[in-house]
Amino acid sequence: MNKRPGVTAFLAVLLVAALAFTTTLAIIETHRAHQAKSTANTRSDVAKAAAALATLLFTYDYHDLAKTQQQLEALSAGGFAQRESSQSDAVQEQLRKAQAVGSANVKEVTVSDASGSRATAFVIVATHVTSTQGKADGIAYLLLDLQLVGKFWKVDDVQNLNPSAQPSS
């Protein structure tokens, strides 16, 4: 009978160890799932902000350029916000003279990096412009750098990868 208490104690310790191991694995998997969901949510938020700004760059009506400017400012940060603000009057004047109306449709957004408070997105935009000079359709390829400002992703820099398709501002 002396062996039974030892076997029982050993089995109890083994059971506790197995339970601890299983609990640890469950916690690790829960953490990984939470991280994956968080990363997916971040990438989705970045893609939405990038698509919104890319659309606004090519969507305007010379009758109400102030509205477009306000929307661009809301999605802009850092260097892009400063450039946008400094060039706004000249670009708006050109659009008024040409009586330009532009529209855009985002075809694709690829988030290539989203870590911490910085992100990069590649956006393909189909554009249509009607002006006193006629109508034009095009495709714009944009590389956007975004930064997290508070709870919102804002665009810090825009690179037009095909300069023949000029954004409105």
Side-chain angles (χ1 to χ4, degrees):
M1 283 207 165
N2 287 346
K3 290 186 178 181
R4 273 215 180 274
V7 171
T8 305
F10 175 74
L11 290 175
V13 169
L14 188 60
L15 182 60
V16 169
L19 183 61
F21 179 74
T22 304
T23 302
T24 302
L25 283 180
I27 290 169
I28 290 170
E29 283 305 310
T30 300
H31 179 70
R32 284 184 187 171
H34 177 70
Q35 269 188 317
K37 183 177 180 182
S38 178
T39 299
N41 287 343
T42 296
R43 293 177 82 78
S44 175
D45 291 346
V46 168
K48 287 175 187 174
L53 183 91
T55 300
L56 280 173
L57 285 174
F58 297 96
T59 302
Y60 46 85
D61 184 333
Y62 74 97
H63 290 106
D64 192 6
L65 294 171
K67 177 183 174 183
T68 301
Q69 186 62 32
Q70 288 173 340
Q71 292 172 330
L72 282 171
E73 288 172 3
L75 294 174
S76 302
F80 180 70
Q82 292 172 354
R83 284 189 304 281
E84 183 61 33
S85 177
S86 69
Q87 298 172 0
S88 175
D89 291 340
V91 170
Q92 287 185 25
E93 183 60 30
Q94 289 176 345
L95 294 173
R96 280 189 200 94
K97 283 182 183 176
Q99 297 179 359
V101 176
S103 62
N105 183 20
V106 171
K107 295 294 186 183
E108 184 176 337
V109 178
T110 302
V111 177
S112 62
D113 182 31
S115 56
S117 63
R118 307 288 303 171
T120 303
F122 176 71
V123 184
I124 301 173
V125 185
T127 64
H128 177 77
V129 177
T130 303
S131 71
T132 56
Q133 298 158 348
K135 295 180 180 182
D137 292 312
I139 298 288
Y141 301 92
L142 305 174
L143 186 62
L144 284 71
D145 290 326
L146 297 95
Q147 70 181 46
L148 190 59
V149 178
K151 295 181 180 181
F152 302 99
W153 286 97
K154 297 190 177 199
V155 176
D156 184 41
D157 190 37
V158 176
Q159 294 178 47
N160 188 350
L161 301 179
N162 60 327
S164 63
Q166 294 298 319
S168 66
S169 25

